[in-house]
Amino acid sequence: MESEHVTHNFAPIFDENSRILMLGTMPSPKSREVGFYYGHPRNRFWKVVSDVCGEELPETREEKIAFALRNKIAVWDVLAGCEIKGADDSSIRNPIPNDMDVILSKADIKAIFTTGTKAAQLYKKYCYPSTGIEVIPLPSTSPANCRVSYEELYTAYEVIRRYLG
């Protein structure tokens, strides 16, 4: 598979009440195809976050946005663009970071989480120098991360509740 230049084209989900920021790396080919965050049908992000918040699984784009805003969760990605092979984060080259100030200047974010190790590495290298906010890495919810059980994901993601109170 060849690398392709990908540009992030979803607006971040947030409002002035958002308290945590959940950052992925870059939308996967499936997410880009459906035009929304964590769009692969086997990605476990929306399930684990809704379970942790004690809510029904949001199904539609509108339900997911309403769920995130209601629960004070901002959703975005570390990168605005990069060269990548498919959905393989390890193949990322020439990353262009998003400007976290888009959210941080408008919402009182109490904690920033990444949904995967690569997102955490990229955030630390490209975003932390300007934000000064440490990131809390969580396991990837991607179907490619099948070695992490749903129960392990749930246990790891429970930490977000501490900041939503």
Side-chain angles (χ1 to χ4, degrees):
M1 176 177 283
E2 289 211 14
S3 271
E4 64 176 313
H5 180 78
V6 176
T7 301
H8 195 299
N9 58 359
F10 314 154
I13 301 168
F14 78 102
D15 65 17
E16 67 280 358
N17 299 311
S18 298
R19 293 296 170 261
I20 67 169
L21 174 54
M22 305 291 291
L23 294 171
T25 307
M26 188 75 192
S28 69
K30 189 66 178 173
S31 292
R32 294 192 308 271
E33 180 186 311
V34 300
F36 202 65
Y37 297 95
Y38 306 100
H40 192 290
R42 289 197 332 266
N43 190 298
R44 301 173 286 177
F45 177 82
W46 294 107
K47 171 137 180 62
V48 74
V49 175
S50 61
D51 284 352
V52 164
C53 290
E55 290 206 22
E56 292 291 315
L57 175 66
E59 300 285 347
T60 67
R61 173 191 178 106
E62 293 72 24
E63 288 172 356
K64 290 171 182 175
I65 292 170
F67 161 81
L69 296 178
R70 184 171 58 251
N71 285 283
K72 302 178 180 166
I73 300 169
V75 181
W76 207 16
D77 288 305
V78 174
L79 299 182
C82 66
E83 304 286 328
I84 188 169
K85 292 179 184 174
D88 180 7
D89 281 357
S90 69
S91 74
I92 289 174
R93 302 289 177 266
N94 304 314
I96 301 161
N98 271 315
D99 177 4
M100 295 297 137
D101 204 44
V102 166
I103 294 175
L104 300 178
S105 67
K106 295 175 183 78
D108 186 19
I109 297 295
K110 302 295 187 194
I112 299 176
F113 298 91
T114 58
T115 59
T117 306
K118 187 65 172 189
Q121 292 168 346
L122 290 164
Y123 174 89
K124 286 175 189 170
K125 183 171 183 176
Y126 296 102
C127 303
Y128 176 76
S130 62
T131 66
I133 301 171
E134 291 287 344
V135 71
I136 302 166
L138 295 172
S140 172
T141 57
S142 164
N145 189 21
C146 52
R147 69 187 177 283
V148 175
S149 72
Y150 182 79
E151 292 70 26
E152 291 168 313
L153 271 184
Y154 182 89
T155 299
Y157 276 70
E158 279 185 306
V159 69
I160 70 173
R161 278 202 295 238
R162 189 177 315 164
Y163 300 92
L164 297 174

